[in-house]
Amino acid sequence: MSIKGKAEELLAGIRQLSGEPFKIMEVCGSHTVAIAKSGIRELLPESVQLVSGPGCPVCVTDNSDIDRFLSLAQTPGVIVATFGDMLRVPGSKTSLQAVRAEGADVRVVYSTLDALEISRQNPDKEVVFLGVGFETTIPTVAVSVEIAEREHLSNYSILSMHKLVPPVLELLVTDPEVGLDGFINPGHVCSVLGTAPFEFIAGKYQKPSVVAGFEALDILEAIWMLLRQRQEKRAAVEIQYSRVVKPEGSPKAAEYISRYFEPVDAVWRGIGRVPQSGLRLKAQYRLFDAEMKFDLPKPKSVNTPGCLCGEILKGRRHPFNCRLFGKACTPLQPVGPCMVSSEGSCAAYYRYSQRRGMSAV
Amino acid sequence: MQSERIIMAHGSGGRLSQRLVAEVFQQAFANPYLDQMNDAAVLPPAQGQPALTTDSFVVSPLFFRGGDIGKLAVCGTVNDLAVTGAAPKYLTAGFVLEEGLLINDLNRIVQSMAATAETAGVTLVAGDTKVVERGSADKLFINTTGLGFIPEGTQLNPLQVKAGDKIIVSGTLGDHGIAIVSEREGLSFSTPVSSDCAPLNHFIQGFLMPGVKCMRDPTRGGLATTLNEIALQAKVGMLISEEHIPLLPAVSGACGMLGFDPLYLANEGKVIAIVAPEIEARVLALMRRHPLGRQASAIGTVTSYEPGLVLLETVIGAKRILSMLEGEHLPRIC
Ligand code: SF4
């Protein structure tokens, strides 16, 4: 059967089960992009609503963290290694791209291994890797610390701004203003953690959730599975993305995270402090912790005036609700991080939505 | 001379310059016009309307799977002429060499240019070389200018495009972009992707007929940007079917992994043709007969829906806007 044929079949199933309003959050930024790109929203019955969640790691990095690594980048003798997405993110005054143009040494890397290589080649410089990401990328950062320790690369360190998905989800499940009925769980994160850390959604809060893949058909099937749970009056964590995600996850990768890192409270942009939702290197690895190595300022978080990113990340508001959307704020001239990252909700809506800023979908 | 490097004296106009010209350039490109060694090539009178174009090439790395900067410099200019309906005839080439460039590399690139020019049937009639200090350029930049002639009766113009016309692409999209990115970042995929870099003029001559209204080669900005440009110029709308857009599985895979959209990636050997509906089937059949057009596909229709608006019907049957490239393009792809 053609993709379109399969999609029609799934949509028929969804329509059949739709009935009462049902609000689903897609937690992961890659899902947000896939949904916008394939136009799924347009095909869903009105009663089934998809809202985007806090699943873009760049978007949830707080202004205060951005300001901290910007000051690090401007420190003489420091090379900052980062994934490309962070380059244009505006802090309260400037961005990595701008400080690079002024002479700061900022290198875009594709993996932590590249950052290690930069450390080996620049023994007289301090190389700091900006650790921004969820459970998916954290194991690779842990591996880099392991290698740095083995090779005695004393000029390598990481600035851990990593975030954990389950704690922030717990906050959102209980947010009455958002009023969510079901969740599309992040496929990549679950491939590492497995489903156990997401059980509370069903167990404690009686809400259905499904781990989905990233093709349009995966997402449609996940939506149908969520509605089926409601129909059958049950709540569970189901896996649609079984070709990649095992219920137990990847114990080895998960073990790497817990060997090197420990949970701390973390500030999410727009959401605020979420208990035990961040990670820092354990004390025995503090040689590789930029936080310990450098005297980083503790600037207070100043939110960008007019930017609704925080509300959007919680699913309370929609990109089209932002007055700056598509006018003062575009991917070329981003005001907030949701417009910078390719996985940000605002960027996805800007790029793929039929009627830019005219009406909320 | 092979293991030697370019030094500043190669650009001085003195003996070393002459040796470089003789041993590298003249060797590869020898022809009566170049051999005149005049300050300007004097060309015979010609028939048809002259078409002139120029382009500079700064691709990094110099060599990549499926091509190199020299091949690209010939193809890029030949193709710009060919999509206007012109038969490309003459090329000029300007080289900016960075001090330290391996002469062996330069030689390989020049040989590749000569071979590509021969395939395309164009003659390199004038050239120039400059050397700059280390750091003032990155190894090698090439500018090429091309002159061609449009035969009488051929008229391509986006203003002729109207609702109901069909949109055809000559093959898989995004190959060049992915080839360059994977080379640059040292990524390896199980099926490596080669650049599609190729001169299109003979291929285009094979299907050019009355009813072909407008052609473009979707280089930087890819299919999406090129279609938007045509839609704006022709003041028409377009509806494209995602299902019919040809993509190599390796390219879709790489795009998924790297977060690129293949519809925005550069192509260097593809043409988009907008044709009257009556000739759609014939043009497609003629394209598929040529090695460069085996995977040609009709991907959509010109609409009167909203001028300048390109819509994409996604694989699951939803319609969304297909916008122009916004900011994030890859630098130094050609
Ligand atoms: S459109 Fe820009 S300013 Fe508005 S919420 Fe999105 S990122 Fe913030």
Side-chain angles (χ1 to χ4, degrees):
Chain A
M1 202 195 296
S2 71
I3 297 182
K4 207 161 152 183
K6 284 185 202 148
E8 271 158 17
E9 230 178 57
L10 287 165
L11 282 162
I14 289 171
R15 272 193 298 272
Q16 214 180 4
L17 294 176
S18 55
E20 287 294 295
F22 195 71
K23 197 167 178 184
I24 303 168
M25 174 174 276
E26 88 271 2
V27 175
C28 167
S30 306
H31 280 139
T32 301
V33 172
I35 289 166
K37 216 169 150 177
S38 58
I40 284 180
R41 271 193 189 84
E42 186 196 316
L43 302 177
L44 291 176
E46 242 170 73
S47 60
V48 179
Q49 205 192 335
L50 285 172
V51 298
S52 311
C56 154
V58 174
C59 307
V60 297
T61 303
D62 193 61
N63 249 344
S64 60
D65 280 328
I66 299 173
D67 287 346
R68 262 151 35 107
F69 67 66
L70 285 170
S71 88
L72 196 53
Q74 288 163 302
T75 311
V78 169
I79 301 177
V80 163
T82 176
F83 293 140
D85 261 7
M86 297 304 291
L87 220 49
R88 297 188 307 131
V89 179
S92 43
K93 285 196 197 72
T94 179
S95 68
L96 275 182
Q97 194 174 33
V99 300
R100 180 167 75 174
E102 287 159 12
D105 197 343
V106 179
R107 316 262 181 108
V108 171
V109 294
Y110 284 78
S111 78
T112 49
L113 298 182
D114 297 343
L116 286 171
E117 189 51 34
I118 296 172
S119 310
R120 291 187 198 103
Q121 283 172 5
N122 296 276
D124 53 333
K125 297 264 175 67
E126 281 294 333
V127 178
V128 183
F129 176 77
L130 302 185
V132 171
F134 297 127
E135 289 87 340
T136 342
T137 47
I138 302 170
T140 66
V141 181
V143 169
S144 79
V145 176
E146 180 181 47
I147 297 174
E149 186 175 44
R150 190 185 329 126
E151 293 183 16
H152 306 293
L153 277 177
S154 59
N155 65 331
Y156 177 78
S157 60
I158 62 166
L159 185 63
S160 177
M161 295 166 279
H162 298 113
K163 304 260 184 320
L164 304 172
V165 175
V168 78
L169 270 191
E170 179 141 22
L171 198 88
L172 293 169
V173 187
T174 52
D175 187 332
E177 238 185 278
V178 193
L180 294 167
D181 302 301
F183 290 84
I184 295 179
N185 291 341
H188 296 137
V189 170
C190 292
S191 71
V192 173
L193 296 183
T195 51
F198 294 86
E199 287 296 345
F200 71 90
I201 303 177
K204 197 159 157 197
Y205 299 103
Q206 298 302 310
K207 309 241 183 214
S209 73
V210 173
V211 184
F214 296 90
E215 300 292 334
L217 289 180
D218 292 332
I219 297 168
L220 285 177
E221 190 177 1
I223 295 172
W224 175 77
M225 288 166 75
L226 286 168
L227 289 165
R228 188 181 57 181
Q229 286 193 36
R230 173 176 77 171
Q231 174 88 355
E232 295 168 359
K233 298 199 169 47
R234 59 191 178 85
V237 191
E238 293 180 323
I239 301 178
Q240 180 278 334
Y241 198 28
S242 53
R243 55 187 195 275
V244 171
V245 177
K246 306 272 162 294
E248 70 279 14
S250 162
K252 198 170 163 216
E255 198 264 323
Y256 254 103
I257 299 180
S258 52
R259 186 172 344 145
Y260 287 90
F261 291 96
E262 62 194 6
V264 282
D265 294 357
V267 177
W268 294 57
R269 187 189 183 97
I271 295 177
R273 185 168 297 276
V274 182
Q276 305 291 294
S277 68
L279 288 175
R280 70 163 168 231
L281 275 172
K282 286 185 170 170
Q284 63 264 45
Y285 304 109
R286 65 162 51 120
L287 267 178
F288 304 101
D289 189 346
E291 203 107 33
M292 300 291 156
K293 248 181 170 171
F294 300 92
D295 187 22
L296 293 173
K298 293 250 180 263
K300 39 192 168 316
S301 170
V302 203
N303 274 330
T304 317
C307 174
L308 296 185
C309 274
E311 292 293 291
I312 291 170
L313 292 168
K314 279 186 282 195
R316 287 185 183 171
R317 304 296 288 274
H318 190 280
F320 291 161
N321 297 141
C322 176
R323 280 185 303 113
L324 306 180
F325 180 89
K327 299 189 190 89
C329 183
T330 64
L332 271 183
Q333 286 271 314
V335 173
C338 297
M339 191 60 97
V340 179
S341 163
S342 54
E343 296 203 337
S345 305
C346 294
Y349 275 84
Y350 185 85
R351 223 168 295 152
Y352 301 120
S353 285
Q354 268 252 24
R355 286 279 170 270
R356 287 181 183 167
M358 301 296 283
S359 64
V361 172
Chain B
M1 184 158 183
Q2 294 308 301
S3 64
E4 290 168 30
R5 289 174 184 275
I6 292 293
I7 57 173
M8 293 306 290
H10 281 116
S12 66
R15 194 192 308 267
L16 266 181
S17 304
Q18 281 181 8
R19 222 179 107 194
L20 187 73
V21 169
E23 291 182 18
V24 176
F25 295 102
Q26 275 180 328
Q27 181 100 341
F29 295 121
N31 65 61
Y33 306 108
L34 201 60
D35 299 345
Q36 292 165 357
M37 295 293 280
N38 282 333
D39 281 352
V42 181
L43 307 171
Q47 293 247 302
Q49 214 180 337
L52 187 65
T53 187
T54 190
D55 212 340
S56 299
F57 297 84
V58 299
V59 65
S60 165
L62 297 180
F63 300 93
F64 45 86
R65 188 176 281 274
D68 55 70
I69 189 172
K71 183 178 180 188
L72 199 61
V74 173
C75 295
T77 293
V78 162
N79 294 347
D80 280 346
L81 288 173
V83 292
T84 65
K89 285 287 284 181
Y90 305 111
L91 279 186
T92 71
F95 295 82
V96 177
L97 313 178
E98 187 195 17
E99 179 186 19
L101 174 71
L102 279 173
I103 291 179
N104 199 14
D105 282 352
L106 177 62
N107 220 344
R108 270 172 69 198
I109 287 161
V110 167
Q111 296 289 341
S112 155
M113 283 181 87
T116 312
E118 192 175 328
T119 312
V122 293
T123 312
L124 191 127
V125 294
D128 175 57
T129 309
K130 295 280 186 310
V131 179
V132 297
E133 309 86 328
R134 196 182 273 278
S136 295
D138 186 8
K139 298 191 187 76
L140 167 64
F141 297 154
I142 304 177
N143 169 274
T144 53
T145 293
L147 178 62
F149 298 92
I150 303 176
E152 208 165 324
T154 303
Q155 228 198 9
L156 295 169
N157 187 337
L159 296 179
Q160 305 175 66
V161 172
K162 59 176 204 291
D165 287 347
K166 298 294 174 186
I167 304 161
I168 299 176
V169 293
S170 64
T172 55
L173 295 172
D175 306 5
H176 179 73
I178 290 297
I180 298 290
V181 172
S182 26
E183 199 83 46
R184 212 185 273 167
E185 308 306 342
L187 306 171
S188 53
F189 303 109
S190 47
T191 6
V193 178
S194 286
S195 165
D196 56 350
C197 177
L200 292 167
N201 51 330
H202 298 314
F203 169 59
I204 286 175
Q205 286 305 318
F207 65 81
L208 193 54
M209 63 174 84
V212 175
K213 298 187 173 179
C214 171
M215 289 189 289
R216 287 286 158 84
D217 57 334
T219 51
R220 271 181 303 180
L223 176 80
T225 304
T226 309
L227 290 179
N228 272 282
E229 282 166 5
I230 302 176
L232 281 175
Q233 284 175 342
K235 302 196 175 59
V236 294
M238 291 181 183
L239 179 62
I240 306 299
S241 149
E242 185 175 26
E243 192 186 345
H244 291 110
I245 295 174
L247 288 179
L248 288 175
V251 169
S252 353
C255 281
M257 209 178 95
L258 301 167
F260 294 132
D261 186 333
L263 306 190
Y264 293 89
L265 289 178
N267 307 279
E268 292 293 343
K270 296 292 157 28
V271 58
I272 299 171
I274 304 197
V275 308
E278 314 83 78
I279 62 162
E280 178 190 17
R282 266 175 65 209
V283 169
L284 260 183
L286 287 168
M287 278 189 179
R288 288 182 182 149
R289 213 182 271 174
H290 193 281
L292 292 178
R294 290 272 185 267
Q295 310 223 54
S297 171
I299 59 165
T301 307
V302 176
T303 65
S304 54
Y305 176 51
E306 190 179 322
L309 186 72
V310 181
L311 291 180
L312 180 82
E313 183 180 332
T314 68
V315 280
I316 58 166
K319 289 195 188 75
R320 71 160 164 93
I321 201 164
L322 185 64
S323 56
M324 282 219 184
L325 182 72
E326 200 94 33
E328 73 210 91
H329 93 147
L330 297 159
R332 295 186 58 191
I333 201 91
C334 61

